[in-house]
Amino acid sequence: MSSTPTLPSPPRLSALQVLACGALIVTLSMGVRHGFGLWLQPITQAQGWTRENFAFALAIQNLSWGVFGIFAGMVADRFGASRVLVGGAVLYGLGLAGMALTTTPLSFALTAGVLIGAAQAGTTYAVVYGVIGRQIPAEKRSWAMGVAAAAGSFGQFLMVPVEGWLISDFGWQQALLILGVVVLLIVPLAMGLREPGFGGGAPVQREQTIGQALREAFRYRSFQLLMAGYFVCGFQVVFIGVHMPSYLKDNGLSPQVASYALALIGLFNVIGTYAAGALGQRLAKRHILAFIYFARAAVITVFLLVPLSPMSVYVFSAVMGVLWLSTVPPTNAVVAQIFGVAHMSMLGGFIFFSHQIGSFLGVWLGGVLYDQTGSYNIVWYLSIALGIFAGLVNLPVRESPIVRAPQRVGAAA
């Protein structure tokens, strides 16, 4: 039985255009986001807040990103990604400005948390990967997703030192306002991702309605396993990204070590994400994912056992960087491989929502447990245990396309 009946597809954008515009958008959006940990101490010291106040706002940001990501994916799948990207860029600029000007923990949670989270939902992987899935042939899709993920990692390498320089030279408030202008460059780049077939605001006809696609995915065991693994990814990377600068400073290392460490994570993840995408064309993606999670657990364990020094931090950052966002290309490629690309942004949004629940817990527990115990040790140990769990749950994932029974086509899905 044929797994999926196909409808005539409109002409595709060129692969170069899709990858260039998509990569630059992810570079800006993810690059700014990866540097937020550098603001923890300047903001809490200037405002007289606790680390939990800051961590809670970024936890809300990750949860908001996950919630709004679902709806951003639905809109992008139905009406095209460019509209979502433009709206996300505007929200990003407003959120960064609000983050700079806020004076209370509540308003900080609303701007740095809810608003920027919604902005990231409209300017990062789920939306851009939907375009890649629709515009890049299946035989190159995993590789193309690796290129886009590598761009996000390069953004971290490029932007984190820039953000550190902006804070030191202009102050934390002016640095945020400058970045609020910079992210508006996403607007013209979004015009390069205007896909044929989404013109005039009319919804594209689908082989499944949204409801049918969701019921199919959530009943499918492999989708559930991918969501469980991605939860762990979010917990680990956001805890490390936000709290490691303060962890290093607490242990007597200079702020420059933290900036270099985050930059090294970004630099080496360019290699890791590209390699994961390229290997996904030849190897079982579930094995790639299991290896990444097991390796993260091992690397964190070694980092905690060896004496802490700038060199040990740099080695940890380089190795962890190879593993950092390298889960993104194989995870999204498996979703496209199983379910097809018609609802890819939406399904990717639900997978990413699980990631962001993990992110919420990772960054929030880091702040709460530090304030209660004066140490990050418990969260480090949780990261190790969860890495082992994620490696195990990815092993039984089935990657073959799902076989569907004939069903009535939803005209407005």
Side-chain angles (χ1 to χ4, degrees), residues 24-281:
L24 287 171
I25 288 169
V26 174
T27 295
L28 286 170
S29 183
M30 294 297 291
V32 170
R33 182 243 183 196
H34 278 305
F36 282 149
L38 300 177
W39 271 271
L40 190 155
Q41 292 197 352
I43 289 179
T44 55
Q45 291 170 2
Q47 304 282 25
W49 299 342
T50 66
R51 291 189 187 184
E52 183 181 353
N53 294 141
F54 185 94
F56 181 73
L58 290 201
I60 291 294
Q61 179 190 109
N62 284 282
L63 199 59
S64 173
W65 185 358
V67 172
F68 283 102
I70 295 169
F71 299 102
M74 290 180 181
V75 174
D77 284 335
R78 191 171 183 184
F79 298 108
S82 60
R83 292 176 173 84
V84 176
L85 290 164
V86 170
V90 173
L91 289 178
Y92 217 145
L94 293 173
L96 288 166
M99 187 175 170
L101 302 175
T102 186
T103 57
T104 68
L106 176 59
S107 57
F108 188 73
L110 292 174
T111 54
V114 177
L115 197 57
I116 291 183
Q120 291 168 344
T123 56
T124 50
Y125 292 114
V127 175
V128 172
Y129 274 7
V131 181
I132 291 174
R134 289 185 290 269
Q135 301 297 321
I136 304 294
E139 62 270 15
K140 295 183 178 180
R141 189 179 295 144
S142 179
W143 166 81
M145 290 177 177
V147 171
S153 305
F154 181 75
Q156 180 176 353
F157 170 70
L158 176 69
M159 293 298 296
V160 169
V162 170
E163 290 170 62
W165 169 73
L166 288 173
I167 292 171
S168 63
D169 280 29
F170 296 95
W172 66 268
Q173 288 178 305
Q174 291 297 321
L176 287 168
L177 293 173
I178 292 169
L179 291 175
V181 175
V182 170
V183 295
L184 295 179
L185 292 172
I186 292 173
V187 173
L189 291 169
M191 297 301 101
L193 297 181
R194 297 176 66 180
E195 299 171 80
F198 287 94
V204 176
Q205 291 197 353
R206 303 294 183 194
E207 298 159 4
Q208 290 178 301
T209 65
I210 288 174
Q212 289 168 342
L214 288 177
R215 284 192 297 273
E216 177 183 77
F218 277 93
R219 290 172 180 170
Y220 200 67
R221 182 65 172 167
S222 292
F223 189 79
Q224 299 166 6
L225 296 175
L226 288 168
M227 289 185 71
Y230 229 29
F231 167 90
V232 175
C233 180
F235 186 99
Q236 292 173 325
V237 301
V238 177
F239 163 67
I240 294 172
V242 172
H243 289 285
M244 192 167 74
S246 296
Y247 171 76
L248 299 178
K249 189 171 182 180
D250 291 342
N251 283 277
L253 299 181
S254 72
Q256 286 75 21
V257 173
S259 294
Y260 294 149
L262 292 178
L264 280 171
I265 289 174
L267 176 62
F268 279 85
N269 197 42
V270 174
I271 300 169
T273 49
Y274 181 83
L279 289 172
Q281 298 292 151

